[in-house]
Amino acid sequence: MNSSHTPLSGINSRRRFLAGLPAIGLIAAHAADEAPLQDIVFGSCLDTHDHPMLDRTLTLPRDLFIFMGDNVYADKGGIPMMQEKYTLLKNSRFFKGLKNKPILATWDDHDFGENDGGGSYPHKKEAQVEFWNWLDEPASSPRRQQEGVYQAQTFGPAGKRVQVVLLDTRYFRSPLKKVPKDKAMLGGSYVPTDDTSTTMLGAAQWSWLAQILQQPADLRIIVSSIQFAPEAHGGECWANMPHEQQRLLKLLQGQTSVILSGDRHWCEFSHNGVYDFTSSSMTQKHPRGSPTPNKFRCVSKTYHLPNVGQLHIDWSAATLTAKIFGTEGDAKIEQTLAFKDLKVT
């Protein structure tokens, strides 16, 4: 939904309508005269709500903003801290500046409530309530009834239709395999498992995903709070569950798709069956300043200062341009790809 000519009241009315739709793959509505998406801005990891990068973000062309997780850092003070941090974000100049256009969000560990947390986190139900409260999700919304914050929404008319799928890599995720520190990789102690009973998304979310990927779309944008394409690096990533990584690739096979990810506190572009554009962090500098090895990196440059990502869709040329912006306003990493090159094989 390109809302550049739509009053805020119209946006809110559409949000209420979408929220009332069934949660199983039907959070999508199309109007024949709806303008297509052209510019999507995406970011992750906000540890403060007053920062030059946030100010810069508001200057970028934008039809949609996507929060990709770690939207607040509230994993050390329980639900009361979570409520406080969400209130600060909600009342910030940045968040108020975003609200003239559609906003979508998923979470990662720090706004889920536990560092590196997964399905065993005991307060995940309470955390989900606070997540939807932050976004003013109506009390009657089916999203509040389901377990997990996964969701999907479709924008634009037939022929220029974009489906945005936001995954929840926290609520159902099995424990990760870990090795002692003396055997750890540069990025941490997590390693790939060969236990195929472990899950990243959980049975209900996998079933939902299979259904919504059957809906018509000319471009699919999959949002994963953690990286999908890079090789295992010791931190959290899909490569820690190779069977789940392959399962998602199989579902996307034949689709014109990209993945957006965050979490790492640096940016890199990767390709491993599907393109994965990582943008992180909006307000933090990576302390080490050097990336972990990644044989799937498709652009050699990485970026380690505060940043935000942008996708520009050129429908006439059938191309997608991904850019990473820093506070100065120039593109730090950039790649343009034809739609035909985005088809997952």
Side-chain angles (χ1 to χ4, degrees), residues 275-324:
Y275 283 91
D276 180 351
F277 304 119
T278 301
S279 175
S280 172
S281 154
M282 292 191 75
T283 63
Q284 299 171 72
K285 175 183 177 181
H286 192 275
R288 191 176 68 242
S290 58
T292 48
N294 178 13
K295 64 185 178 183
F296 298 112
R297 194 173 292 132
C298 57
V299 176
S300 60
K301 186 175 182 181
T302 61
Y303 188 68
H304 301 252
L305 297 177
N307 63 84
V308 73
Q310 183 195 48
L311 297 181
H312 175 72
I313 305 168
D314 186 331
W315 291 105
S316 60
T319 61
L320 178 73
T321 299
K323 294 182 180 181
I324 297 297

Side-chain angles (χ1 to χ4, degrees), residues 57 128 209:
T57 297
Q128 181 170 327
L209 183 59

Side-chain angles (χ1 to χ4, degrees), residues 2 8-9 29 39 102 123 131 136 145 201 213 273 289 294-295 335 337:
N2 184 322
L8 186 56
S9 60
D39 294 294
H123 302 297
F131 176 87
D136 291 326
Q145 308 308 315
L201 302 182
L213 290 178
N294 178 13
K295 64 185 178 183
Q335 186 176 27
L337 297 157

Side-chain angles (χ1 to χ4, degrees), residues 43-46 67-76 78-79 81-83 85-86 89 105-117 121 123-124 126-132 134-135 149 168-170 225 263:
S44 62
C45 308
L46 290 80
F67 286 94
M68 300 190 298
D70 291 343
N71 310 309
V72 295
Y73 279 67
D75 54 308
K76 294 180 180 178
I79 298 301
M81 174 179 279
M82 187 175 291
Q83 293 170 335
K85 293 291 185 71
Y86 275 133
L89 175 56
T106 189
W107 59 15
D108 201 34
D109 53 342
H110 296 294
D111 41 354
F112 179 62
E114 182 178 57
N115 185 43
D116 294 352
Y121 175 53
H123 302 297
K124 60 185 182 180
E126 295 92 329
Q128 181 170 327
V129 170
E130 299 307 327
F131 176 87
W132 291 127
W134 162 51
L135 296 169
V149 303
D168 184 336
T169 64
R170 294 293 165 187
S225 65
D263 179 56

Side-chain angles (χ1 to χ4, degrees), residues 199-210 238 244 247-248 251:
T199 185
M200 185 69 74
L201 302 182
Q205 187 175 185
W206 274 118
S207 177
W208 165 85
L209 183 59
W238 280 76
E244 292 285 82
R247 184 175 182 177
L248 182 54
L251 276 182

